[in-house]
Amino acid sequence: MTVAAPAAAGDARCGFHQTKVPGTKYRARFSADIDELVALIRAERPDAVVANQIEEAPAIRTALLEAGSDALLAGYCHYLPFSFSGGGQLLLDPSLNDAGLGRPVLLAFVAGLAACDRVMVHSSTAASWVSAAAVRMTLDLGEKLRVVPAPRDDRLVCPPATIQPVSGAGAIGIYNHRLYAHYGTEQFVHLARDLVASGRLRLRVMDLFGRRRPERQGLDNSPEKMREQLSTLPHVQIVSDRGDRVRYKNLLAGACFGIAPFRPGCPWSMSVIDCQGMGLPVISPRLGWLAEHIDAELCFDTPAEAVTLAERLADDDEFHALHAKRAYASTAGFAPALVAARYLEVLS
């Protein structure tokens, strides 16, 4: 396998072709270098090519044609530029709609689906949404569409019996998601105020970005704003793993429960899986893939329900132990070997 990306995969068994870092998330979707792709395909002579940025699939298909390659082309929809309202209305993702680019991104996304021989998505929810969006563009994906979840990180897997979270007074809830506004972070800020109001709970909020480049802040400075708001709340600690997975694991291990994001178009959340693999129950708004995957007993519709759930997880050892076991078990199907087998089946 050869990885063509700005950074290597970190596994010596993989070949590596370094590509330029796209200046913005839009360049990542609209600036494919077809000459570079043709040269790479001729050099590697692949049996299969995976477009991890689905919008680049038409450019890759063009390069395959020019290079005279009959390699299978698969696309991975790791991010959906849309979601659906409860009434079935297609909504553009605001994070990809600067200067009205949301619709061009959506059209490029569907063009990518059309160019692929196989299309991979994370979850049944994502499969349903991608199929519905494609049909609206007169594209029937048929047998192309396959569900292949992302693998859990086995460094972040601990049976619940081996973890002793802080419970009772001072129990910690962890929020380990990006602080973008489109993740529903403002709703989380309001919930955070309610969760810490009684003084019985503390919150640990991950700062996953640190100091970002001015170019990235120029497109969306909401993480900086959200971090500032959260830093003013009592009993809320802003922490960073500093890119160290051991430190990240320890930050998770010291918590009592996790909190899912309020992101409407959530087709998957690696951060939720990280918590669950560590035996942390995750409370969640009832939306998107979160409602599909997280135990129904831990889903909430109102902030008051969320506070009740959090305090019960902190105070009721039996309730916590039950949901810790369920959380851990829910990630069993995401073991790397199982995911790799599903991935290779798609490419066969």
Side-chain angles (χ1 to χ4, degrees):
M1 181 173 70
T2 294
V3 174
D11 190 319
R13 295 170 296 177
C14 295
F16 175 54
H17 175 86
Q18 188 166 27
T19 59
K20 294 179 181 177
V21 178
T24 70
K25 54 194 170 185
Y26 296 107
R27 281 181 176 258
R29 289 162 169 83
F30 296 123
S31 62
D33 186 333
I34 294 179
D35 288 337
E36 181 182 29
L37 289 169
V38 170
L40 181 60
I41 290 164
R42 285 176 174 162
E44 298 294 331
R45 301 175 64 188
D47 296 307
V49 178
V50 178
N52 202 46
Q53 190 71 54
I54 190 73
E55 293 90 347
E56 289 203 341
I60 296 173
R61 176 64 78 191
T62 300
L64 290 169
L65 177 64
E66 289 190 18
S69 172
D70 61 357
L72 179 143
L73 175 56
Y76 204 115
C77 303
H78 65 89
Y79 190 96
L80 305 186
F82 59 87
S83 62
F84 285 93
S85 69
Q89 180 185 5
L90 188 149
L91 306 172
L92 297 175
D93 190 310
S95 74
L96 287 166
N97 197 23
D98 299 284
L101 280 167
R103 191 158 297 280
V105 168
L106 173 60
L107 293 173
F109 180 89
V110 176
L113 300 177
C116 289
D117 300 304
R118 304 279 192 278
V119 174
M120 291 181 276
V121 294
H122 292 96
S123 62
S124 296
T125 297
S128 173
W129 288 351
V130 168
S131 294
V135 166
R136 293 181 184 216
M137 306 290 179
T138 70
L139 174 63
D140 182 2
L141 294 174
E143 296 300 312
K144 281 195 202 182
L145 190 60
R146 311 289 175 84
V147 175
V148 182
R152 69 185 185 186
D153 184 343
D154 274 352
R155 294 170 295 180
L156 302 174
V157 176
C158 289
T162 66
I163 297 292
Q164 295 297 324
V166 177
S167 58
I172 297 171
I174 192 161
Y175 186 84
N176 56 333
H177 311 281
R178 297 176 180 183
L179 298 179
Y180 287 124
H182 69 274
Y183 270 65
T185 311
E186 191 165 359
Q187 288 173 271
F188 168 67
V189 172
H190 293 309
L191 175 61
R193 291 193 179 99
D194 293 341
L195 287 170
V196 301
S198 69
R200 295 169 62 190
L201 298 173
R202 292 184 290 152
L203 294 182
R204 180 175 290 162
V205 177
M206 298 291 299
D207 177 10
L208 299 176
F209 288 128
R211 188 179 297 277
R212 298 189 304 150
R213 300 194 313 269
E215 296 85 355
R216 296 192 69 184
Q217 291 190 45
L219 278 178
D220 184 351
N221 66 351
S222 60
E224 286 72 25
K225 289 182 176 179
M226 296 295 114
R227 184 175 58 202
E228 183 178 353
Q229 289 183 39
L230 287 162
S231 68
T232 65
L233 298 180
H235 310 299
V236 174
Q237 178 189 26
I238 309 293
V239 298
S240 172
D241 61 9
R242 299 191 289 270
D244 183 338
R245 297 301 274 181
V246 173
R247 176 173 167 78
Y248 179 50
K249 180 177 182 177
N250 290 335
L251 289 168
L252 294 180
C256 175
F257 62 92
I259 305 168
F262 286 79
R263 181 180 164 198
C266 189
W268 180 261
S269 171
M270 199 71 244
S271 297
V272 165
I273 302 303
D274 291 344
C275 287
Q276 292 178 320
M278 292 288 293
L280 291 185
V282 177
I283 64 172
S284 169
R286 203 183 310 275
L287 49 78
W289 165 79
L290 302 166
E292 170 193 330
H293 174 74
I294 291 175
D295 193 293
E297 278 194 292
L298 297 183
C299 291
F300 58 83
D301 294 300
T302 67
E305 291 176 3
V307 172
T308 299
L309 281 172
E311 292 184 345
R312 186 177 179 191
L313 286 170
D315 298 334
D316 186 334
D317 290 344
E318 186 176 346
F319 184 71
H320 186 279
L322 170 67
H323 283 288
K325 290 177 182 177
R326 288 181 181 177
Y328 175 76
S330 74
T331 71
F334 308 140
L338 296 177
V339 173
R342 294 173 72 170
Y343 202 100
L344 290 172
E345 182 182 3
V346 169
L347 300 184
S348 65

